Amino acid sequence: MENVNSVAYVAKIDVIEKIVGADNIEQARIGGWNCIIQKGQYNVGDLVVVATTDAVIPVELSDKLNVTNYLRKGQRVRTVKLRGVYSECLIIPVTYIQGIKRVEGADVMEVLNILKYEPPVKQITLGSGRKIRYSENPNFLVYYKFPNQKNVSDMYTEEDVVQITRKYHGTNARYGIAKKFKLSLWDKVKKFFRVADKWVDYEFVVGSHNVEKGSDSQGFYDTNVWYEIADKYNIKNKLWNFVKNEMSDELGSGFVLYGEIYGKGIQKGYDYGLDEIKFVGFDAMWDGDYLPTLIAKMVIEDDLELPHADVLYVGKWDKEKQDGYVFNNFITGTKVPHEGIVVKDISGDRSKVSKVINPDYLIYSEKHNVGDSH
C-alpha cells in the first residue's frame, strides 16, 4: 500500500526478481517502485520502509545504513541503472522505526527525520528595487499537483480510457480571465453609473505554478518569461475573445489556461534544440472545473490557436504501451532523455491523473545538475 503524501512509508515487498549476470544483487518491487537489494536480504511479503526519489535522508541514518556515498547531492535518494535494471528508491529495514505501528501505508518521515526535497525558491527582485504589495486572486487557481504513478500503481484499470501526453521539462505557466476578488472604487463607480459592461468584474491574470505574476487590476511589474510568452502568443487578446464569444453567459469564476514554457535558458541542458522559448498548453479550467481532455485540446488548438502538448496516445490504458513512451525516449536528434509522460483519464477526473518519470531523465539530471523534483 502506497502513501501518496509521503516520501518515506511502510510497504510490503511484492516481487523479488533475479538480475541477469548478477550473483550478489537482485531487484525488489514495492508497489510501483523498483529497488536493487542484496541477494537474500529480504523476502516477498516483508514489510520495509520505502524512501522514494524525493526523500532527503539524514546523514546519521544514511551512515548507519552505509548508503551515504550512494545518495546524490543534498542527501537525496537517487535513481541508478545497474546491469540494465533501474533502482529508484531506498529500502530501509522496519527495525529502524520505533514508537508507531508497523502497518502498510504508515508515514515514517517524522520518525526517521526524513524530509521531502523542495527545489530552492527563486527570488525575483524588481529592476527598480521597489517593493510592492500584491494580493492574489483566489479565482486564479494553482494547477493540480498530480502524483507520481509509482505511488498509485493501482490508479488505472484496462477499462480506463486515457490520454498520454509528453511531459516537457520547462517551467509551469498559467493565464486566465478570472473574476476579480475585489472591485476597485473606480470599477464600482462605473458600475453604479452603468458605464461599464459585465466584463468589469473580470481581469487578465498571469502566473507561474505557485506564484501570481501580475493582473489587470494590480499591474504587471518588471520583465519575465511569463510576460514574454503572453506577448509572443497574444494570449491576453485570445483569452478575452474566447470568453466573450464562447462563455459570455456562463463564465462563473473564470477560465484558466495551464501550460509549460520551455526552450533556451529555461532549464539547464533542456533547450530542446531551440534558440528561443516556446509554450504548449496542456489543460484548461472553466468555472473551477477541469475540462475533459478532448475538449481542452480543442479549445487550446482550435479556439485559442495555441500549441498543445504532444498527444502520444488515446485509448484504453495499457501499462506496456504506456511504458513504451517512457523508457529509451530521447529528444529528437539528441542523447538527452525526455522527462516522461502525463496520463489522464479522458473525463478530466483529477483522481485519475498521474505522471510517469523516465528513469534515464533522473540519471541524466543528476549527472548534469538539472533541477528536478518528482
Side-chain angles (χ1 to χ4, degrees):
M1 179 187 296
E2 298 90 350
N3 185 330
V4 297
N5 298 312
S6 174
V7 295
Y9 56 88
V10 177
K12 184 183 295 183
I13 295 179
D14 299 311
V15 176
I16 294 179
E17 297 177 328
K18 294 181 179 180
I19 298 176
V20 177
D23 296 327
N24 300 316
I25 56 174
E26 52 195 358
Q27 186 184 46
R29 187 165 72 245
I30 310 97
W33 297 96
N34 296 307
C35 184
I36 294 175
I37 58 175
Q38 290 184 1
K39 199 166 189 177
Q41 184 178 7
Y42 297 103
N43 297 307
V44 172
D46 284 352
L47 285 179
V48 294
V49 172
V50 179
T52 65
T53 49
D54 270 347
V56 179
I57 311 299
V59 174
E60 297 81 2
L61 177 58
S62 64
D63 283 347
K64 287 180 181 178
L65 296 169
N66 199 28
V67 298
T68 301
N69 292 334
Y70 296 96
L71 299 176
R72 64 186 296 184
K73 184 179 180 181
Q75 289 291 114
R76 291 172 60 192
V77 173
R78 74 195 319 175
T79 297
V80 297
K81 188 176 184 181
L82 296 174
R83 297 187 181 275
V85 173
Y86 293 105
S87 185
E88 307 154 317
C89 63
L90 173 67
I91 288 181
I92 302 170
V94 289
T95 53
Y96 278 78
I97 57 174
Q98 303 293 331
I100 66 169
K101 289 185 178 180
R102 299 171 183 173
V103 295
E104 285 188 82
D107 177 14
V108 297
M109 290 175 62
E110 184 175 354
V111 173
L112 295 178
N113 198 27
I114 291 174
L115 304 176
K116 184 180 188 300
Y117 171 76
E118 297 292 347
V121 176
K122 295 181 178 180
Q123 298 294 330
I124 300 174
T125 304
L126 300 186
S128 63
R130 183 166 62 94
K131 295 181 179 180
I132 59 172
R133 294 181 64 187
Y134 194 96
S135 299
E136 297 196 348
N137 187 326
N139 294 314
F140 187 53
L141 296 179
V142 169
Y143 189 60
Y144 171 74
K145 191 171 179 64
F146 43 80
N148 189 317
Q149 196 178 112
K150 289 184 177 297
N151 285 325
V152 284
S153 55
D154 59 349
M155 176 177 281
Y156 308 102
T157 71
E158 293 181 354
E159 296 304 311
D160 291 318
V161 180
V162 301
Q163 175 201 71
I164 297 178
T165 55
R166 179 68 66 203
K167 192 175 190 302
Y168 293 76
H169 190 54
T171 187
N172 269 179
R174 54 191 165 123
Y175 301 94
I177 303 298
K179 193 167 188 177
K180 296 175 183 175
F181 70 96
K182 183 179 180 181
L183 293 179
S184 68
L185 177 60
W186 181 236
D187 288 338
K188 293 176 181 178
V189 170
K190 288 192 290 184
K191 288 190 73 171
F192 179 80
F193 288 104
R194 298 182 181 179
V195 294
D197 60 23
K198 65 181 180 181
W199 299 111
V200 73
D201 291 322
Y202 293 86
E203 62 178 342
F204 175 64
V205 195
V206 176
S208 62
H209 178 80
N210 289 313
V211 180
E212 195 171 304
K213 298 293 183 179
S215 66
D216 284 337
S217 63
Q218 299 189 78
F220 298 90
Y221 301 95
D222 214 21
T223 57
N224 56 50
V225 294
W226 296 275
Y227 297 173
E228 184 178 340
I229 286 294
D231 291 340
K232 180 176 182 177
Y233 289 87
N234 195 26
I235 291 177
K236 179 177 181 177
N237 287 333
K238 288 180 177 180
L239 285 177
W240 271 121
N241 289 336
F242 172 65
V243 299
K244 287 181 178 179
N245 293 328
E246 303 295 333
M247 300 179 169
S248 60
D249 297 322
E250 304 171 321
L251 187 54
S253 62
F255 177 86
V256 184
L257 166 70
Y258 300 96
E260 192 84 357
I261 299 171
Y262 69 102
K264 185 177 181 181
I266 298 299
Q267 293 287 357
K268 181 181 178 182
Y270 275 81
D271 287 350
Y272 288 86
L274 300 172
D275 58 5
E276 59 179 339
I277 60 174
K278 290 189 174 183
F279 172 82
V280 290
F282 53 65
D283 222 329
M285 175 184 284
W286 171 22
D287 194 19
D289 293 320
Y290 289 97
L291 298 181
T293 58
L294 177 60
I295 295 176
K297 185 174 185 294
M298 290 174 60
V299 168
I300 292 169
E301 291 185 329
D302 299 338
D303 293 306
L304 298 175
E305 298 182 338
L306 295 169
H308 186 279
D310 290 342
V311 176
L312 307 174
Y313 172 77
V314 177
K316 287 191 174 182
W317 180 77
D318 180 281
K319 189 175 189 306
E320 184 176 350
K321 187 180 291 289
Q322 168 189 280
D323 289 349
Y325 297 113
V326 179
F327 300 105
N328 300 313
N329 274 265
F330 298 86
I331 296 172
T332 304
T334 75
K335 294 183 179 180
V336 179
H338 276 296
E339 181 178 351
I341 59 174
V342 177
V343 184
K344 298 177 186 174
D345 189 285
I346 62 169
S347 68
D349 178 4
R350 293 298 106 170
S351 69
K352 288 200 172 184
V353 180
S354 66
K355 60 186 176 183
V356 184
I357 302 302
N358 182 355
D360 289 320
Y361 159 78
L362 294 174
I363 296 169
Y364 178 91
S365 67
E366 179 186 356
K367 183 178 179 181
H368 296 275
N369 196 28
V370 177
D372 68 278
S373 174
H374 299 289

